[in-house]
């Protein structure tokens, strides 16, 4: 399944503070990167939705997401601060890749949180400096961070915030979003009431059921519009699960700021 891919222009990207996109809505759209993502929560809390799992992230937590893994974030209170780092495998010790933390994506270890923050601060300083030696030094600093995590992984606190029904439902939606899926059919499949499923889905993912389903369909449509010139707009809409091509065009323009036709032609 093709989903929207967000990657910086370079193989290393660093940002500290509040995401502009998330600050406006409190929720990011499901997406993935070709690069690794490291997320360090400084202040506030967020719900990280990664693949089919849900994690409640608190200050001091580090989230590590391999490339190609679908994820998005939700904030109850958008007043937060975090460090976001995207990098290629060049910056990651080869020993770490097959030796990821036992709790998979979320690394919670309060014993080393302060030391990890100091390394992130060194990374930030070198990233801003950006001279002829910065790239080599960034490799050293990020390697130090990963080795710190590896050396102390036995002290990592296991976190299990998962909601089994929602995880299974999301996996099913991702595999079948092109089919005729409704809130009622999903609730029936997982033996819960539509009201309960709708309320729980929004609480866990930060997105309403329809918005999440449409996001998958629109992201797939965006890929088709860029790569499949032989399909017309109506065919693409139907192929992505939209029964009404006018509704598809309206929703697509709301999200991407351009009509499907212009996207397909490569114009704005």
């Amino acid at each position: 399944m093709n989903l929207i891919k967000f990657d910086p222009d370079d193989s290393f990207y660093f940002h500290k503070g509040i995401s502009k996109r998330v600050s406006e809505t409190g929720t990011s759209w499901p997406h993935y990167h070709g690069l690794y993502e490291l997320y360090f929560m400084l202040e506030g809390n967020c719900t990280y939705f990664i693949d089919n799992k849900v994690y409640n992230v608190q200050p001091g937590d580090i989230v590590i997401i391999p490339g190609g893994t679908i994820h998005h974030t939700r904030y109850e209170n958008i007043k937060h601060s975090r460090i976001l780092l995207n990098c290629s495998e060049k910056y990651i010790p080869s020993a770490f890749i097959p030796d990821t933390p036992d709790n998979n994506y979320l690394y919670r270890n309060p014993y080393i949180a302060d030391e990890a923050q100091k390394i992130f601060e060194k990374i930030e300083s070198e990233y801003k400096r950006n001279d002829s030696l910065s790239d080599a030094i960034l490799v050293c600093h990020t390697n130090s961070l990963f080795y710190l995590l590896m050396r102390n992984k036995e002290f990592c606190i296991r976190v299990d915030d998962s909601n089994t029904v929602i995880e299974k439902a999301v996996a099913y939606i991702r595999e079948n979003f092109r089919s005729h899926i409704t809130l009622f059919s999903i609730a029936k499949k997982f033996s819960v009431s539509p009201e309960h499923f709708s309320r729980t889905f929004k609480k866990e993912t930060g997105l309403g059921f329809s918005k999440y389903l449409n996001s998958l369909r629109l992201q797939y449509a965006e890929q088709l519009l860029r790569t499949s010139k032989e399909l017309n707009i109506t065919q693409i809409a139907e192929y992505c699960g939209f029964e009404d091509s006018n509704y598809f065009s309206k929703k697509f323009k709301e999200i991407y700021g351009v009509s499907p036709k212009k996207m397909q032609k490569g114009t704005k």
Side-chain angles (χ1 to χ4, degrees), residues 122-212:
K122 290 180 180 180
I123 291 173
E124 179 182 18
S125 177
E126 197 58 48
Y127 183 75
K128 291 179 177 178
R129 184 165 184 166
N130 193 27
D131 62 19
S132 61
L133 294 176
S134 289
D135 191 62
I137 295 173
L138 285 173
V139 171
C140 292
H141 287 333
T142 52
N143 270 253
S144 294
L145 177 62
F146 279 103
Y147 283 130
L148 176 68
L149 301 181
M150 292 171 65
R151 173 173 281 174
N152 295 276
K153 72 173 187 175
E154 66 267 29
F155 303 111
C156 193
I157 299 172
R158 184 171 294 278
V159 180
D160 186 9
D161 296 323
S162 62
N163 184 303
T164 304
V165 171
I166 297 303
E167 289 182 356
K168 289 181 178 179
V170 167
Y172 180 82
I173 294 167
R174 282 177 48 200
E175 291 298 321
N176 299 278
F177 69 90
R178 290 170 49 198
S179 305
H180 181 66
I181 297 177
T182 67
L183 174 64
F184 291 94
S185 66
I186 289 289
K188 182 178 180 180
K189 179 176 179 61
F190 292 97
S191 303
V192 295
S193 71
E195 294 78 13
H196 176 76
F197 179 82
S198 178
R199 183 169 56 252
T200 306
F201 191 91
K202 178 68 179 290
K203 178 183 177 182
E204 294 290 344
T205 69
L207 296 172
F209 168 77
S210 295
K211 187 172 183 179
Y212 182 76

